[in-house]
Amino acid sequence: KGKTMQLTKNISDYSISISYLDTKIHKLAISEVSIMPKELIISSLEEFISNQKELEKMMHIVDISNSCGFYSRLNVPPQMRGKNIGSIILDETLKVCTEKNIFLFNTVNPYGDLNLEQLIGFYEKHGMKSISEEGVLVFSSHLNTNLKPRKHKL
């Protein structure tokens, strides 16, 4: 019996892409981050955060990060759910962001049978911090100094 799951990482100065391919069912789960200028992230944060103290804290974290990223998608096909695949590729993505000192910004969009609360809970469980009720989350190694790497089994 051969291995049916393949984890692939593609990392550049402009993007991070981590995918998990199930060759048995021919489905791909993917996580993508677009690396962008701090100014774009800062203007986006100002739009979403009304609490001035929280905004100042986020700006300080953005200032000490080397670069910023927008988490453009995490997609796990329904046939691959319930197998920790989303957790695996999210944790791999956050690990790369930590290694590269990237401040990550994410806007959660419910889809399918997943609602906003479930999705926010999923991201928070992995160390992202919710900064608005509309589903905006951030991640930085500077926010998560007490988190330990997670181990997953398929």
Side-chain angles (χ1 to χ4, degrees), residues 14-147:
Y14 309 104
S15 66
I16 300 165
S17 176
I18 299 180
S19 60
Y20 222 110
L21 174 66
D22 186 328
T23 57
K24 189 175 181 181
I25 62 170
H26 304 287
K27 294 290 178 185
L28 181 73
I30 191 160
S31 172
E32 293 180 326
V33 172
S34 300
I35 309 300
M36 56 183 49
K38 289 181 185 183
E39 296 75 32
L40 286 176
I41 296 293
I42 288 172
S43 64
S44 296
L45 285 174
E46 288 171 342
E47 254 181 70
F48 288 107
I49 305 174
S50 55
N51 180 327
Q52 193 58 38
K53 226 177 193 178
E54 193 68 22
L55 182 61
E56 287 171 15
K57 183 179 166 187
M58 291 297 143
M59 295 307 158
H60 173 70
I61 293 165
V62 172
D63 280 348
I64 59 179
S65 295
N66 289 334
S67 51
C68 295
F70 176 71
Y71 200 0
S72 48
R73 96 173 146 154
L74 172 63
N75 186 308
V76 180
Q79 303 90 326
M80 296 177 78
R81 293 184 190 152
K83 300 177 183 177
N84 279 332
I85 293 168
S87 292
I88 291 168
I89 61 177
L90 175 58
D91 285 345
E92 285 295 323
T93 301
L94 297 179
K95 182 176 162 187
V96 172
C97 288
T98 298
E99 290 166 0
K100 297 195 165 288
N101 195 23
I102 293 171
F103 178 90
L104 188 61
F105 178 67
N106 184 10
T107 55
V108 177
N109 300 306
Y111 61 93
D113 58 345
L114 301 171
N115 68 40
L116 188 63
E117 284 182 15
Q118 290 171 310
L119 290 168
I120 290 173
F122 171 76
Y123 286 106
E124 285 180 330
K125 183 173 78 172
H126 293 274
M128 296 191 84
K129 181 178 180 188
S130 179
I131 60 171
S132 89
E133 292 175 8
E134 290 82 32
V136 180
L137 296 108
V138 293
F139 174 84
S140 168
S141 57
H142 304 286
L143 287 175
N144 301 291
T145 53
N146 62 345
L147 288 182

